[in-house]
Amino acid sequence: MSLSAAHSSGTGSRRRRPTEQTQDLPWEHDVQVGHSHEQIHDQPCGDPQPNSTDALSSHQSTCPALCTTKCMPEHACPNHRACDDSWEEIQSKRTIRAENEVEANKLVNNYRFGFRKWKSHVTERPFEVRSEVVKELYSELNVIKPHAGPGHLITCGNVAYVLLFGWWVSLAYLFIGLLMFITIAGIPYGKLCWKLSCYFLWPFGKSIHEIGNTLRRCCEQAPDCECNVDGMEDNSPVLLPSPTEVLITELPGRPLRTPYWRRFSTYVWLLLGYPPLVVIHSLACFLSWILVFTIPVSKMNARTLGVILLLAPEDVSVSTCSRRKPQVYETRALLCCYHAANWYYYKYTVDGINVFAVNLLPLVVVAIVIGYIDRDNQYASSNVKFAIAICSIIPLSYYIGMGIASISAQSNFAVGAVVNATFGSITELTFYITALLRGHRASNPCLQEVVKAALTGTLLGCILFIPGICMIIGGLRHSEQRFNSRCTGVSSALLFISVGGVFAPTLFSKAYGNLVCDACTNSTGGNSTGQFVCHNCHYDLNNGTLFRNHVEPLVYTVSILLPAAYIIGLIFTLKTHSHIYDIHVGDGQVTGHHGAVVHWSRWRSLLILIMATVLTSACADLATEHIQPILNQPNISQYFIGVTVLAMVPEIPEIVNGIQFALQNNISLSLEVGSCIAVQVCMLQIPILVLFNAFYDVGFVLLFSDIHLWASIFSVIVVNYIFMDGKSDYFQGTALVVVYLILLALYFFAPSPPGC
């Protein structure tokens, strides 16, 4: 695959919106499709107005619809077969829009075989060109806006604020204000607390200002006048301090204003009033941040704690935004909030990391602390420790994915391929190796079966569940989605090879192994020639002849051939046949690498990868240490626990990425997310486990039970049948998810492995 510049002949004449605007619209997608040497029109196929570039909708197209394809009139598509052929030709080339070269590299890497598919940006996006919805998420709550009136502020989120936060924060200010009045010296702060008590009970539509020196001196000279501190007219977007301040000659005989840090009341406030409010606002800030959608409440509490409460009380004024009158006094808006909740905060990021991953990161600290300190389970049970340790792997997987994407986007494809192959499976391998080591030390063969169940569960989830759920969500929004069947054909072929190679030793042992049963009874009584009923039958691997001379060499042979096939797949897709994934970056759509500000540099990404790997190993060790009570549950099969919890929890970030691609009508990447993980499981993870067992014998044998064998083979056949026509809709996605749920029911009701 090559990262080349192919600018269409008509690109310069068409009108283009800013890149950030297109990124924020839910019905648009990252990758535009079109011929590199033909004019591209930004309009739906079949639209009678060829100059309409704003009506980007795939629902109105008669031909297969990605909005940047070369559009044909309705009469040019006499049948669907002609349209399908045209679609396959169009899909052979894609043109990427990106803000800078680093983002373009990341998008190109998404289409490369063996690279992790990553949706989040790895560079900072210019704030000026972002949509108003996104700007609202990152605002500092100091912008005063015109609104319809008090009725417009009565929303479900604002009412929920009063019930969850407003009443007890307001009550705290009421008591602190009473305490300040008792001290006499803190009366000015007591008055401020009572004002803020009314404010925090219902802060919406009200504003807090810092009074400037000019207005303060005016009020000091005329203490009996009513000083209105609400500045400027309603059409002003924000109250700013006056550019210049007119110096007023100090009047003789007027007492000078005591500096803030030379007042006795300041220290009374900092010792008695401020500390309790630190606790109150910190608690409100933490709770509202954890809830994500109430982040404006967190910002409001943080700004109050860090700015407003550290000002002199006479410098703070609370007013209602709707009653402002035109004035020219010097004021500065400090806080003005209109809505306590915003549903778009699921997009909020901190240093490029999604807010949900940031909020889950403290679970890592909690898991390590209670896991390694509370050894006797005095404060938390093994079930709780296991749940926390498993959930803490989710944010670590996200950080590992971000680090891989950042390094790959800033490096050449060879370095990116090495990083993806090295760290792409590090989360799963860390858990598997830790479980095998613990099972070997404890002489517990059940953990080996759990690892095999987790491997099979990852394979089934990536083949069936991830593509299925992406097809359902994408199909509900875009009706029918299309993808390049040639690209998926490469992944499907590698999937067939990998699954066949992984289960080849199992089929070999069943064909040539001796069936051994633990207990056999004669069903006809004492007649030795009658039928026997046998229990706990398995193929004998301890006779030395079959296993050591035949099965074990076959396992090592397969473990060498599978990584070799993976490398051949890399060479095929990245070098010799890169035209299958022909990706072009338009000249006028990339701003360059030097102007891009990356969230994480390469060295920082590498450091985070190493730290996340170490923490993942610690959490995996805790999970395997406390998994035994879960496995001992009599009503739940150990197969089911491995196939579901242990297999799919580390893949949650990948599921989220696939869903985001599907929502942006980029179903090709959604399907590649699951296929890429499934291929890595078979061609990298399992051979690495076999190699590890060769150097340090932990008893891992590459022989799977019948339920794993037939479930995996059946899943590969079903998913390849679904992918044959190059189309997807919610019905096909539902079929895949239903098959996945049927297999989960099969595992749920299956008996636990023998000896467990």
Side-chain angles (χ1 to χ4, degrees):
M1 183 183 307
S2 60
L3 177 62
S4 59
H7 193 243
S8 302
S9 59
T11 306
S13 60
R14 64 176 180 174
R15 178 169 60 89
R16 293 187 289 107
R17 294 190 301 275
T19 306
E20 182 61 42
Q21 180 180 353
T22 62
Q23 294 289 339
D24 291 329
L25 294 176
W27 54 82
E28 294 187 354
H29 33 270
D30 290 332
V31 180
Q32 292 191 343
V33 183
H35 292 288
S36 59
H37 301 291
E38 297 179 8
Q39 186 173 0
I40 300 175
H41 300 282
D42 288 346
Q43 68 174 38
C45 297
D47 197 330
Q49 298 178 359
N51 294 327
S52 176
T53 60
D54 294 327
L56 296 178
S57 172
S58 61
H59 301 285
Q60 302 175 2
S61 58
T62 305
C63 300
L66 268 181
C67 302
T68 54
T69 60
K70 181 180 178 183
C71 295
M72 296 176 288
E74 295 186 21
H75 59 79
C77 293
N79 54 62
H80 287 286
R81 182 174 297 276
C83 290
D84 293 343
D85 295 339
S86 173
W87 174 258
E88 292 296 332
E89 181 183 358
I90 288 171
Q91 274 286 78
S92 63
K93 292 189 177 182
R94 300 178 179 87
T95 300
I96 285 181
R97 273 187 315 201
E99 295 94 339
N100 50 68
E101 186 179 351
V102 178
E103 285 297 327
N105 289 337
K106 187 209 71 173
L107 295 176
V108 170
N109 289 338
N110 284 341
Y111 286 91
R112 286 174 170 164
F113 169 76
F115 282 71
R116 176 169 289 203
K117 322 306 175 188
W118 195 252
K119 178 64 179 66
S120 302
H121 278 63
V122 296
T123 60
E124 295 183 5
R125 306 164 74 182
F127 186 77
E128 295 77 11
V129 298
R130 307 190 78 169
S131 66
E132 294 300 325
V133 173
V134 176
K135 289 181 180 179
E136 181 69 22
L137 302 182
Y138 296 93
S139 65
E140 294 297 331
L141 300 183
N142 59 355
V143 178
I144 298 180
K145 303 176 182 178
H147 55 87
H152 181 69
L153 300 174
I154 302 177
T155 62
C156 296
N158 292 352
V159 174
Y161 162 82
V162 177
L163 299 177
L164 295 177
F165 303 100
W167 67 271
W168 55 273
V169 175
S170 176
L171 193 62
Y173 269 102
L174 192 64
F175 286 122
I176 297 297
L178 183 61
L179 177 63
M180 289 295 101
F181 272 101
I182 294 175
T183 61
I184 305 300
I187 289 179
Y189 287 98
K191 294 180 180 179
L192 175 62
C193 287
W194 284 3
K195 291 180 182 178
L196 293 178
S197 175
C198 299
Y199 176 83
F200 279 100
L201 184 62
W202 184 266
F204 313 109
K206 301 176 183 178
S207 60
I208 298 179
H209 302 270
E210 179 185 5
I211 304 175
N213 294 331
T214 303
L215 178 58
R216 188 187 305 111
R217 285 194 291 266
C218 173
C219 293
E220 288 175 355
Q221 295 178 27
D224 296 331
C225 69
E226 180 181 356
C227 294
N228 191 321
V229 296
D230 299 321
M232 304 185 73
E233 297 182 358
D234 288 339
N235 56 5
S236 62
V238 61
L239 295 180
L240 298 174
S242 300
T244 59
E245 181 179 345
V246 180
L247 295 178
I248 300 178
T249 306
E250 297 292 344
L251 298 178
R254 183 173 65 85
L256 295 176
R257 182 171 180 262
T258 306
Y260 178 75
W261 293 107
R262 295 184 181 179
R263 304 178 189 178
F264 178 70
S265 61
T266 299
Y267 297 96
V268 172
W269 165 252
L270 293 179
L271 291 176
L272 298 179
Y274 187 71
L277 292 177
V278 169
V279 177
I280 294 297
H281 281 294
S282 299
L283 180 60
C285 187
F286 173 77
L287 294 177
S288 56
W289 181 273
I290 290 297
L291 294 176
V292 175
F293 301 106
T294 57
I295 286 181
V297 179
S298 179
K299 292 182 178 181
M300 182 171 59
N301 283 272
R303 192 168 183 82
T304 302
L305 187 61
V307 178
I308 297 174
L309 295 182
L310 296 178
L311 294 175
E314 65 271 15
D315 290 348
V316 180
S317 175
V318 181
S319 61
T320 304
C321 299
S322 60
R323 296 182 179 179
R324 290 180 296 133
K325 298 179 182 179
Q327 300 290 338
V328 292
Y329 297 129
E330 179 192 8
T331 62
R332 182 167 66 98
L334 298 177
L335 186 60
C336 188
C337 183
Y338 295 94
H339 298 286
N342 190 334
W343 301 114
Y344 287 97
Y345 267 101
Y346 71 89
K347 297 182 176 181
Y348 195 78
T349 59
V350 179
D351 197 20
I353 299 297
N354 187 270
V355 63
F356 288 101
V358 174
N359 287 349
L360 289 176
L361 197 59
L363 283 179
V364 180
V365 180
V366 174
I368 293 176
V369 170
I370 67 174
Y372 288 107
I373 294 179
D374 183 24
R375 288 291 188 178
D376 299 329
N377 296 340
Q378 295 180 357
Y379 303 101
S381 64
S382 293
N383 294 339
V384 173
K385 291 180 180 179
F386 173 78
I388 296 177
I390 283 294
C391 292
S392 63
I393 295 178
I394 299 175
L396 293 175
S397 300
Y398 192 95
Y399 275 81
I400 290 175
M402 181 69 175
I404 293 173
S406 298
I407 294 178
S408 302
Q410 301 174 66
S411 309
N412 55 43
F413 79 92
V415 175
V418 172
V419 171
N420 277 270
T422 305
F423 290 96
S425 303
I426 197 67
T427 303
E428 297 86 351
L429 284 174
T430 302
F431 177 80
Y432 299 151
I433 293 176
T434 304
L436 291 175
L437 288 173
R438 186 169 294 277
H440 176 68
R441 296 190 190 114
S443 300
N444 185 4
C446 295
L447 288 180
Q448 181 186 151
E449 295 299 327
V450 170
V451 169
K452 293 179 182 178
L455 287 168
T456 308
T458 305
L459 195 62
L460 298 179
C462 294
I463 293 176
L464 297 175
F465 180 74
I466 294 180
I469 196 67
C470 293
M471 284 182 175
I472 292 174
I473 296 177
L476 291 176
R477 167 166 287 190
H478 302 286
S479 182
E480 182 179 88
Q481 296 177 294
R482 294 172 178 265
F483 53 90
N484 191 349
S485 58
R486 294 188 65 190
C487 298
T488 56
V490 175
S491 300
S492 300
L494 288 173
L495 201 57
F496 265 117
I497 295 172
S498 58
V499 171
V502 165
F503 290 100
T506 303
L507 293 173
F508 183 87
S509 65
K510 293 184 181 302
Y512 297 100
N514 295 322
L515 191 64
V516 178
C517 300
D518 294 339
C520 295
T521 57
N522 193 336
S523 61
T524 59
N527 188 4
S528 60
T529 60
Q531 296 180 351
F532 286 83
V533 178
C534 299
H535 303 278
N536 296 330
C537 298
H538 59 278
Y539 288 93
D540 185 18
L541 300 177
N542 298 320
N543 56 15
T545 303
L546 177 65
F547 180 72
R548 289 189 177 89
N549 297 339
H550 300 280
V551 177
E552 192 172 33
L554 177 61
V555 170
Y556 291 143
T557 303
V558 168
S559 299
I560 294 174
L561 293 177
L562 287 178
Y566 185 83
I567 296 174
I568 293 173
L570 288 176
I571 297 174
F572 178 82
T573 56
L574 301 181
K575 285 293 184 183
T576 61
H577 289 68
S578 60
H579 61 275
I580 298 178
Y581 303 85
D582 204 356
I583 306 295
H584 298 270
V585 179
D587 292 335
Q589 298 168 347
V590 178
T591 59
H593 174 69
H594 299 288
V597 180
V598 295
H599 291 297
W600 297 355
S601 64
R602 277 176 287 193
W603 287 108
R604 182 184 178 187
S605 300
L606 182 60
L607 179 62
I608 291 176
L609 279 177
I610 296 174
M611 293 177 58
T613 302
V614 173
L615 293 174
T616 301
S617 63
C619 294
D621 179 66
L622 292 173
T624 55
E625 179 182 354
H626 298 282
I627 195 177
Q628 198 58 46
I630 308 294
L631 298 179
N632 292 336
Q633 296 291 333
N635 299 326
I636 302 178
S637 173
Q638 295 181 2
Y639 284 137
F640 182 77
I641 296 173
V643 168
T644 54
V645 178
L646 304 182
M648 296 308 295
V649 168
E651 308 301 337
I652 288 179
E654 303 298 330
I655 297 174
V656 173
N657 283 328
I659 292 174
Q660 289 179 332
F661 286 130
L663 288 174
Q664 292 188 338
N665 203 15
N666 200 345
I667 193 65
S668 297
L669 288 184
S670 298
L671 303 181
E672 287 295 325
V673 167
S675 298
C676 180
I677 300 174
V679 169
Q680 284 191 346
V681 167
C682 295
M683 292 190 167
L684 291 180
Q685 294 181 20
I686 292 179
I688 289 175
L689 292 178
V690 173
L691 181 65
F692 177 79
N693 185 80
F695 285 96
Y696 187 85
D697 189 7
V698 292
F700 180 76
V701 181
L702 193 61
L703 295 176
F704 293 85
S705 62
D706 290 347
I707 189 173
H708 298 326
L709 172 65
W710 303 118
S712 301
I713 294 177
F714 177 70
S715 300
V716 173
I717 294 174
V718 169
V719 77
N720 278 275
Y721 176 77
I722 294 293
F723 288 172
M724 279 184 2
D725 59 351
K727 304 175 185 177
S728 72
D729 48 48
Y730 74 90
F731 177 75
Q732 292 179 338
T734 303
L736 292 179
V737 173
V738 168
V739 172
Y740 178 73
L741 295 178
I742 291 174
L743 293 178
L744 288 189
L746 193 68
Y747 280 104
F748 181 81
F749 293 106
S752 296
C756 296

